[in-house]
Amino acid sequence: MNQRAHPHSTTLTEPPPHLHGRWRHDPLLTVGTMVFRAWWPVWRPLSPLHAGVVSDGTTRVRIVGREVVARDENVIALTLAAADGAMLPEWHAGAHIDLLLPSGRMREYSLCGDTAYRAHYRIAVRRIPDGGGGSVEVHDSLRIGDVFSIKGPRNAFPLAVPGHGSPARRIRFVAAGIGITPILPMLATAERFGLDWSMLYTGRTAESIPFLDEVAAFGDRVTIRTDDVHGLPSMAELVGPVDDPADLAVYCCGPVPMLEGLRRHLAARADIELHYERFSPPPVENGTEFTVTLASTGQEIPVAADESALAAIRRVVPSVPYSCQQGFCGTCKVRTLSGEIDHRDNILTEPEREAGTILTCVSRSPGGNLTLDL
């Protein structure tokens, strides 16, 4: 359809006239912009608010604190500062960073310090001897003074404050073991906003759960129970007292059975929000067996119906890159040379999918063979 231009209109490439018919550009603003562009590259690195973020999106950090935070000595907390002494990037409760370890591994850990204190980040790592090797490397190799790179922060588990983005009136926090790490800064945020909140913190034993004294300092808002003394909690005990209607938001971080149990328990409650983060891969649903072929060697790797392609590949290539194992960080991204893909991630664009990109931690094949550029 043709449109006739307004008689007083200008073209889209022509700047509009001044309101009072004078200059099209403000001279003072023009001079200020020129000065800013000239001096910003010089001043920015000297600014105390500038963190040492380099062009690849990483930040160089130094370990300035290391302490054992569980009585069984299997969880350590690392305090990190920018290697150049600057302030670290801003973050909010629920965020995590990726550690680029000296071995080349990349592992994801929740930030569990104070969101208002940008001089330091704090993470906590449980030693898992039969895991992928990242936690063992952190425990055995990293010491105060060591410098390495991190990526982030990123937040896939944000806290929506009631009255500021959430219709809920109350918040229930549920944490199990090392799942306390993303919850800890949420507790401080809830206190800062004066929210109505409570928490159940559970674990195998009092010796195994980290930050026990720090959590206990919140007083009677927190209930601490351990499996060896109280037995496994029911879903109703995890959620706590529920009004009708509830107007409740539940934030949970813990093992997959707990998360799946809560999801089923609250499925029929439209008045209860459920937010959760898992530290382990989600179970494979409706999977079928298929085969992965590594293009570099021609080796064929069978993938069971209930396991991820990443897990199968790691049996043969333990050094293959991965981090979140949940389909949102992109670390395990690889190109598919042939085969049909069942995409189950949340981050790839349609052009990437059409080009054969796959996240091996969650996506798979509906059957047959996938040849990967590995």
Side-chain angles (χ1 to χ4, degrees):
M1 177 170 54
N2 295 322
Q3 289 186 323
R4 180 175 297 178
H6 190 278
H8 299 295
S9 68
T10 60
T11 66
L12 293 179
T13 58
E14 180 183 355
H18 189 278
L19 179 64
H20 300 294
R22 297 194 296 273
W23 302 288
R24 293 182 183 275
H25 299 287
D26 188 323
L28 183 60
L29 182 60
T30 300
V31 172
T33 301
M34 293 173 62
V35 171
F36 177 81
R37 287 176 175 173
W39 283 98
W40 175 244
V42 177
W43 178 81
R44 183 174 180 267
L46 303 178
S47 167
L49 299 179
H50 165 65
V53 181
V54 298
S55 58
D56 63 355
T58 63
T59 303
R60 297 290 285 174
V61 295
R62 185 187 311 277
I63 300 176
V64 296
R66 186 181 191 276
E67 64 173 319
V68 176
V69 291
R71 296 173 187 172
D72 65 3
E73 301 186 351
N74 283 325
V75 183
I76 60 170
L78 299 181
T79 302
L80 312 175
D84 61 3
M87 294 292 102
L88 290 162
E90 183 180 10
W91 64 285
H92 299 283
H96 63 270
I97 57 174
D98 292 322
L99 267 63
L100 279 64
L101 297 171
S103 66
R105 297 182 179 96
M106 186 170 83
R107 294 295 184 268
E108 178 183 295
Y109 296 105
S110 296
L111 293 172
C112 56
D114 186 346
T115 59
Y117 188 55
R118 289 180 51 203
H120 293 153
Y121 287 161
R122 183 176 69 167
I123 62 171
V125 182
R126 177 177 293 284
R127 183 187 181 95
I128 305 176
D130 56 351
S135 67
V136 173
E137 181 177 355
V138 171
H139 274 250
D140 294 353
S141 301
L142 297 186
R143 295 292 181 268
I144 291 177
D146 288 351
V147 176
F148 55 92
S149 294
I150 63 172
K151 287 186 176 182
R154 299 194 307 269
N155 201 332
F157 187 39
L159 174 65
V161 176
H164 300 267
S166 171
R169 294 179 295 106
R170 297 182 294 117
I171 297 179
R172 176 70 164 184
F173 297 109
V174 180
I178 197 64
I180 189 62
T181 51
I183 300 292
L184 263 181
M186 293 185 182
L187 303 185
T189 299
E191 283 288 273
R192 192 171 293 141
F193 276 87
L195 304 180
D196 181 3
W197 67 273
S198 64
M199 175 180 169
L200 180 70
Y201 186 22
T202 185
R204 294 188 306 276
T205 66
E207 287 69 33
S208 68
I209 55 178
F211 300 113
L212 192 59
D213 294 338
E214 193 168 327
V215 172
F218 286 98
D220 58 8
R221 287 183 180 270
V222 176
T223 299
I224 299 173
R225 56 172 296 159
T226 56
D227 300 346
D228 61 334
V229 175
H230 307 94
L232 291 173
S234 67
M235 296 300 108
E237 288 172 325
L238 292 179
V239 175
V242 174
D243 299 331
D244 194 12
D247 292 333
L248 177 70
V250 177
Y251 286 80
C252 178
C253 187
V256 171
M258 172 185 286
L259 302 181
E260 291 302 309
L262 276 175
R263 188 170 62 86
R264 289 191 297 269
H265 180 69
L266 298 176
R269 294 297 301 257
D271 56 341
I272 299 180
E273 302 174 17
L274 175 59
H275 308 263
Y276 59 86
E277 182 172 58
R278 60 174 96 236
F279 286 153
S280 55
V284 176
E285 297 181 353
N286 302 317
T288 57
E289 296 180 0
F290 66 101
T291 303
V292 165
T293 299
L294 306 184
S296 61
T297 64
Q299 183 172 8
E300 295 186 350
I301 305 171
V303 182
D306 60 351
E307 73 172 337
S308 68
L310 173 64
I313 294 169
R314 285 180 56 206
R315 290 199 301 268
V316 178
V317 189
S319 61
V320 66
Y322 73 93
S323 183
C324 77
Q325 302 184 75
Q326 297 174 57
F328 62 77
C329 78
T331 305
C332 66
K333 186 191 309 183
V334 66
R335 189 164 61 101
T336 301
L337 303 179
S338 66
E340 184 180 358
I341 305 173
D342 175 11
H343 289 287
R344 300 187 177 192
D345 67 275
N346 296 312
I347 67 168
L348 292 182
T349 63
E350 283 306 313
E352 286 178 312
R353 293 185 176 189
E354 291 173 2
T357 302
I358 183 175
L359 297 188
T360 58
C361 66
V362 290
S363 297
R364 51 196 303 108
S365 173
N369 178 271
L370 286 181
T371 301
L372 302 182
D373 189 15
L374 282 173

